[in-house]
Amino acid sequence: MKIYICQVCGHLEFNAIPDKCPVCLSPKDKYAQKDSIFKESREKSPEAEVKHVPLIIVNKQCGLIPETPCVDILVRIGKTMHPMEEKHYIMFVDCYQNDKYISRVMFTPLSVNPAGCFHLKNVSGKITVVENCNIHGYWMADVAL
Ligand SMILES: [Fe+2]
């Protein structure tokens, strides 16, 4: 798969460069191709996998938004909780549906756990979650709804 990175905000896009970054609105010339970005993280820090690969839990019984279909995509980083310290923390989690970006959760290091929730209106397809650790780079996981 082709992977492109926004060199301004770190957002990844799959398959094609967008006209502008959907996160920080930078123009397309700020994107660079980086197909091996996940492989590089795994190879650089293989022991870090358990604290970085997103753990995804799908909750199809969401009670928060009963007015409309709602499926919760619950995410924590990772199976063993990643630390959230000033010098080492998860900076953001991006969520994609069928390889298309849909939402981001950003973190500060000290007051929150590395976890988030996305409330999806449309309950089909493949969900991909990408996280970025300020030291250990990019990691991802996906799940089929
Ligand atoms: Fe890390």
Side-chain angles (χ1 to χ4, degrees), residues 92-145:
F92 62 80
V93 171
D94 281 350
C95 183
Y96 304 74
Q97 192 166 23
N98 297 322
D99 296 330
K100 189 178 181 320
Y101 168 73
I102 54 175
S103 189
R104 167 176 285 197
V105 176
M106 292 187 75
F107 300 97
T108 54
L110 299 181
S111 299
V112 287
N113 287 313
C117 182
F118 303 93
H119 294 268
L120 270 57
K121 293 181 185 176
N122 178 340
V123 298
S124 65
K126 179 181 74 167
I127 297 300
T128 304
V129 173
V130 170
E131 67 95 341
N132 182 224
C133 166
N134 69 324
I135 290 179
H136 298 101
Y138 286 83
W139 303 75
M140 62 91 78
D142 54 34
V143 65
L145 289 183

Side-chain angles (χ1 to χ4, degrees), residues 52 82 88 90 133 135-136:
H52 290 83
H82 188 278
H88 182 203
I90 303 302
C133 166
I135 290 179
H136 298 101

Side-chain angles (χ1 to χ4, degrees), residues 5-34:
I5 184 167
C6 173
Q7 297 171 99
V8 176
C9 73
H11 174 65
L12 301 184
E13 281 284 316
F14 300 118
N15 302 316
I17 298 176
D19 286 336
K20 63 181 178 190
C21 177
V23 174
C24 73
L25 308 180
S26 292
K28 58 163 61 170
D29 65 358
K30 297 294 182 189
Y31 272 82
Q33 191 162 357
K34 203 98 168 49

Side-chain angles (χ1 to χ4, degrees), residues 16-93:
I17 298 176
D19 286 336
K20 63 181 178 190
C21 177
V23 174
C24 73
L25 308 180
S26 292
K28 58 163 61 170
D29 65 358
K30 297 294 182 189
Y31 272 82
Q33 191 162 357
K34 203 98 168 49
D35 296 347
S36 59
I37 196 159
F38 299 116
K39 193 167 164 252
E40 282 170 21
S41 299
R42 280 199 312 273
E43 285 178 2
K44 202 172 150 201
S45 319
E47 77 293 344
E49 186 169 328
V50 71
K51 287 187 182 172
H52 290 83
V53 172
L55 184 70
I56 304 171
I57 295 169
V58 179
N59 178 9
K60 294 193 175 179
Q61 304 289 322
C62 179
L64 183 63
I65 304 169
E67 298 91 336
T68 181
C70 184
V71 171
D72 293 0
I73 305 299
L74 299 157
V75 178
R76 60 172 274 173
I77 314 297
K79 195 172 169 186
T80 298
M81 188 78 88
H82 188 278
M84 292 297 271
E85 299 159 357
E86 211 153 344
K87 290 187 173 148
H88 182 203
Y89 68 103
I90 303 302
M91 299 203 296
F92 62 80
V93 171

